[in-house]
Amino acid sequence: ANSSSDADTHLPLSESDRYELEIAGRLHDCGKITTPDHLLNKSTKLDTRFDRIQVIGLRAELIRRDMQLAYLERRAGVDDADGALQQAHDRDMAALDNDLEFLRRINVGGEFIDQETLRRIHRVGQRRWRDGDGQTHPFLSSEEIDLLSIRKGTLSEREREKINQHANASILMLKGLRFPAYLRHVPEYAGGHHEHVDGSGYPNGLTREQLSVPARIMAIADVFEAITAHDRPYRDPIMLSQALQIICRMAQGGHLDLKLVQLFIRERVYLQYAERYLHPSQIDAVDDDPVYDCSPTEE
């Protein structure tokens, strides 16, 4: 951050300092070895040990079977010359297909789902299916309804809390290692990558004043790498310009250090990373739109 005119972000780094920061970067997520793989790679809301949308699809087939049998029983010995029974049956089948497609779409996850979508999830869940013993059950269990109702992404609050525990695990693991003196700050730098400068981060709720500049740099690097990664199973890769807008909003919202983010963009550090690590299709033009200035939002 040598080119920053702000004293609080001016940080001359020796080769030893850069090496210490690099080691912290390589080890910052070591605590994720305590996180179950199915959570780290959760690509859909219903993905636990497997994607339960497959089970829901099988239930739909059983409902379809019963609907077909009921239709054939109604047709037996009945003149349906006007096709009323057939039309009603076709509508019921189409409604079932539509509901199943709706669940498959919602299962993928996204940025936000509205109240009407939540209500529909509950309505669809009230359908009944019959097992081989003739017992009927709700189409969706209460747990499946809760998972499908996740408003953003694919993780429930409980699952997110479990993943978030990796930060504490990383700190404990790194503090337990006997680093040489020139790497003594590794636990601090690595442990702060999920802290927010406004104190709303985790695991310790540290503020800007409590975080060293390297720890704040680590947080920016972690976010930028995460949102630009093109190999995440739970979302599609985003464009470079979108990534910059996201980190600007996070800086304006008090999550990332605003001056360091401005420096990150002004010095085109993002482009050095993009050219080395991003898929070429993600690298689009970043214009002079004021959004990339990351200016503080007006009250």
Side-chain angles (χ1 to χ4, degrees):
N2 294 5
S3 61
S4 174
S5 59
D6 188 281
D8 193 33
T9 56
H10 184 74
L11 183 69
L13 293 176
S14 66
E15 285 302 312
S16 178
D17 294 331
R18 290 176 184 273
Y19 181 69
E20 185 176 33
L21 188 55
E22 178 186 348
I23 295 300
R26 292 182 181 277
L27 295 176
H28 77 285
D29 268 345
C30 63
K32 282 188 175 178
I33 64 171
T34 66
T35 306
D37 285 345
H38 75 275
L39 291 184
L40 291 176
N41 299 312
K42 191 180 182 192
S43 58
T44 64
K45 296 179 181 180
L46 291 173
D47 188 357
T48 50
R49 301 293 178 178
F50 63 95
D51 193 343
R52 284 157 60 174
I53 196 67
Q54 302 168 23
V55 174
I56 292 172
L58 292 175
R59 294 176 198 155
E61 287 303 311
L62 294 175
I63 295 174
R64 197 186 316 278
R65 171 206 64 187
D66 289 344
M67 290 169 61
Q68 183 70 17
L69 290 173
Y71 164 69
L72 292 174
E73 289 175 357
R74 287 194 299 268
R75 279 293 307 271
V78 175
D79 183 8
D80 191 32
D82 61 358
L85 289 179
Q86 180 68 59
Q87 292 172 20
H89 175 64
D90 290 345
R91 285 195 299 271
D92 289 343
M93 287 291 197
L96 176 62
D97 289 340
N98 187 267
D99 283 344
L100 184 57
E101 178 56 34
F102 163 74
L103 295 180
R104 285 174 173 153
R105 185 172 66 253
I106 293 300
N107 186 39
V108 173
E111 287 303 308
F112 185 76
I113 58 176
D114 56 25
Q115 284 298 123
E116 177 53 37
T117 300
L118 293 175
R119 286 191 288 268
R120 185 176 178 186
I121 291 171
H122 283 268
R123 286 199 303 270
V124 173
Q126 292 172 5
R127 281 184 174 273
R128 308 291 294 185
W129 66 280
R130 184 164 54 90
D131 64 23
D133 296 325
Q135 301 295 314
T136 63
H137 310 273
F139 189 42
L140 300 175
S141 69
S142 58
E143 182 184 12
E144 289 164 348
I145 288 176
D146 288 343
L147 289 173
L148 288 167
S149 299
I150 294 171
R151 286 181 173 266
K152 182 178 180 181
T154 62
L155 295 170
S156 67
E157 285 302 313
R158 182 180 62 81
E159 291 169 334
R160 193 174 298 280
E161 288 173 5
K162 179 63 178 176
I163 288 181
N164 289 353
Q165 290 173 10
H166 82 273
N168 255 330
S170 291
I171 293 173
L172 290 173
M173 291 170 66
L174 294 175
K175 282 186 174 180
L177 297 177
R178 299 181 65 180
F179 286 106
Y182 63 92
L183 295 178
R184 65 186 180 278
H185 295 116
V186 165
E188 175 206 345
Y189 298 167
H193 70 281
H194 282 302
E195 300 287 358
H196 296 164
V197 294
D198 64 359
S200 65
Y202 65 90
N204 296 314
L206 302 179
T207 64
R208 185 179 193 271
E209 291 70 26
Q210 295 171 303
L211 292 165
S212 64
V213 175
R216 284 180 257 155
I217 291 174
M218 185 75 68
I220 295 171
D222 184 68
V223 168
F224 192 72
E225 186 276 333
I227 61 179
T228 57
H230 53 80
D231 59 352
R232 302 298 167 95
Y234 44 83
R235 62 161 175 77
D236 294 328
I238 66 173
M239 303 300 289
L240 180 59
S241 59
Q242 292 176 280
L244 294 181
Q245 291 177 30
I246 290 171
I247 66 167
C248 276
R249 288 198 298 269
M250 293 182 71
Q252 292 164 342
H255 289 183
L256 300 176
D257 187 289
L258 181 62
K259 292 185 179 297
L260 288 174
V261 169
Q262 290 173 329
L263 181 64
F264 176 77
I265 294 175
R266 185 172 67 246
E267 299 296 324
R268 297 184 180 273
V269 178
Y270 65 86
L271 189 57
Q272 298 175 40
Y273 179 85
E275 291 175 343
R276 185 169 181 179
Y277 295 108
L278 299 195
H279 191 279
S281 63
Q282 292 178 261
I283 304 177
D284 59 349
V286 177
D287 56 28
D288 294 326
D289 192 300
V291 69
Y292 301 117
D293 293 339
C294 291
S295 300
T297 54
E298 296 183 2
E299 298 294 336

